[in-house]
Amino acid sequence: MKREKSRRRTILGTALLAATIFTGNAAAGTVGTPPLPMQLPLLAMADNAMAQTHRLLNESSAAKSIIASGNTEAKSLRNEAMALYEQAAKADAGGDVEIRDQALKAAKMKLFEAARLVKQAPGLNDRSHALYERRAQSAAALLDAHKRIREELKPGAEVEALESKVITDIAAASATYEKDDVATATRLIDQALSALKSSLISMRNGTTLVRTLHFDSPKEEYEYELDRNQSHALLTTVLLRNKPLPENARQHFDKDMAEAKALRKQAEAQAASGAYDLAIETLEKSTRHIVRAIRAAGVYIPG
């Protein structure tokens, strides 16, 4: 009997894989070498990160409160943040992407610490800023993938209009973030991420967000899940090749990947004995662990 199952099938894996490769290409560039066209959006993101950090350290309400305060310790921390920003600027000029990003992050952390000392932390905590910035980077990568796929498939004016709206939302999120309204900025960037995800699914499935897949047998469905699991596992390999993880993130990543591997092995044994329904459920659990590992690696996948 033919089996039917409604699933969401996306090209997010492909999009993120491409975005990761582009990131690796940008990081590998050398001084004096013109950037490839595919690198330009990422270079623009780097410039934006420098500009945003500069405004955060000098023009934000938190920075102004620190400067105006009589808190010597807070002012000292801001001075340390400024010194770190200068290090980032030198690294950026020399093409050292890793040192630049580390210095920018450290500079922001110093300012957050100083802000807490003058009671500005409720509107400016490091976790909420880190969350926004990670999602903004994901939105930029997905937008780049969306543009390429739209140009390839030519789905029509409706998708072009959606893409224009997303660009507007991302710009509005950036402007709002610079005003220290992190909550509103995050809401806007999440709105953009959700729209991009839905549109990518729609283009992939021919304008239908939920596609009904027809499997002639449990074995066929199992093979589909196995392929999906393998695709996610391949993505993690590429992510790690281009983005070494901090120790804490590495521990979470390794734990989820070990669990995913064990579950996949269990599913293969179940399938070998003919228990395909059980094997399918086990593979789905395995893939969920891989998704968690991808997020531990710093790539946000909506939904």
Side-chain angles (χ1 to χ4, degrees):
M1 180 180 295
K2 182 172 291 188
R3 296 162 55 87
E4 294 187 3
K5 190 170 186 178
S6 294
R7 294 180 178 277
R8 290 182 179 271
R9 298 186 64 188
T10 76
I11 54 171
L12 286 177
T14 302
L16 289 169
L17 176 61
T20 303
I21 293 172
F22 293 167
T23 303
N25 288 339
T30 57
V31 178
T33 302
L36 297 174
M38 68 178 64
Q39 295 174 333
L40 294 177
L42 293 168
L43 293 175
M45 285 171 57
D47 290 341
N48 192 40
M50 291 290 296
Q52 284 185 348
T53 304
H54 184 273
R55 283 190 287 269
L56 182 66
L57 298 178
N58 293 280
E59 302 171 19
S60 67
S61 61
K64 292 176 181 178
S65 296
I66 294 167
I67 294 169
S69 76
N71 192 315
T72 303
E73 185 179 357
K75 290 183 177 181
S76 177
L77 285 169
R78 179 179 172 274
N79 289 338
E80 291 179 31
M82 295 297 294
L84 285 163
Y85 177 83
E86 291 302 321
Q87 290 180 22
K90 290 179 181 178
D92 186 57
D96 195 331
V97 176
E98 184 176 356
I99 295 298
R100 179 200 67 205
D101 290 346
Q102 290 176 353
L104 285 178
K105 181 178 180 180
K108 286 182 282 190
M109 294 304 102
K110 288 291 183 182
L111 189 76
F112 299 152
E113 187 178 352
R116 281 193 288 269
L117 293 177
V118 292
K119 303 186 184 302
Q120 290 296 314
L124 185 70
N125 64 77
D126 51 356
R127 185 173 182 179
S128 63
H129 278 73
L131 174 65
Y132 168 81
E133 290 178 3
R134 186 175 67 172
R135 294 191 177 186
Q137 290 171 0
S138 294
L142 290 179
L143 176 60
D144 184 58
H146 190 276
K147 288 178 179 177
R148 294 194 312 275
I149 295 163
R150 174 181 57 76
E151 290 170 358
E152 177 185 347
L153 299 180
K154 297 179 172 55
E158 185 177 348
V159 174
E160 290 185 19
L162 180 143
E163 189 175 288
S164 295
K165 175 64 165 56
V166 165
I167 292 172
T168 300
D169 285 343
I170 292 175
S174 179
T176 305
Y177 179 72
E178 291 170 9
K179 296 177 182 177
D180 295 335
D181 188 351
V182 183
T184 301
T186 302
R187 178 180 59 78
L188 287 168
I189 209 68
D190 281 348
Q191 181 175 300
L193 277 167
S194 179
L196 285 169
K197 175 188 172 183
S198 297
S199 185
L200 285 168
I201 294 171
S202 178
M203 286 193 289
R204 174 64 176 84
N205 295 333
T207 72
T208 302
L209 292 183
V210 179
R211 178 182 178 185
T212 300
L213 299 177
H214 299 278
F215 300 104
D216 291 326
S217 67
K219 180 181 179 182
E220 185 177 304
E221 184 176 353
Y222 164 77
E223 290 172 348
Y224 162 76
E225 284 297 339
L226 187 62
D227 179 70
R228 194 167 72 93
N229 187 274
Q230 290 171 334
S231 297
H232 281 78
L234 175 62
L235 178 60
T236 64
T237 301
V238 177
L239 283 170
L240 281 183
R241 184 178 64 196
N242 292 320
K243 186 176 182 179
L245 298 180
E247 183 59 30
N248 186 48
R250 162 65 70 176
Q251 290 176 3
H252 286 291
F253 179 90
D254 288 345
K255 180 179 178 181
D256 276 309
M257 289 304 295
E259 185 66 24
K261 184 177 180 180
L263 286 167
R264 175 173 169 161
K265 186 175 181 180
Q266 180 182 341
E268 290 172 341
Q270 291 166 340
S273 66
Y276 289 109
D277 286 334
L278 191 56
I280 289 165
E281 292 180 7
T282 305
L283 271 178
E284 289 174 338
K285 292 178 182 177
S286 173
T287 302
R288 284 197 292 271
H289 276 284
I290 297 175
V291 169
R292 287 175 57 180
I294 290 172
R295 290 180 175 178
V299 178
Y300 176 75
I301 302 178

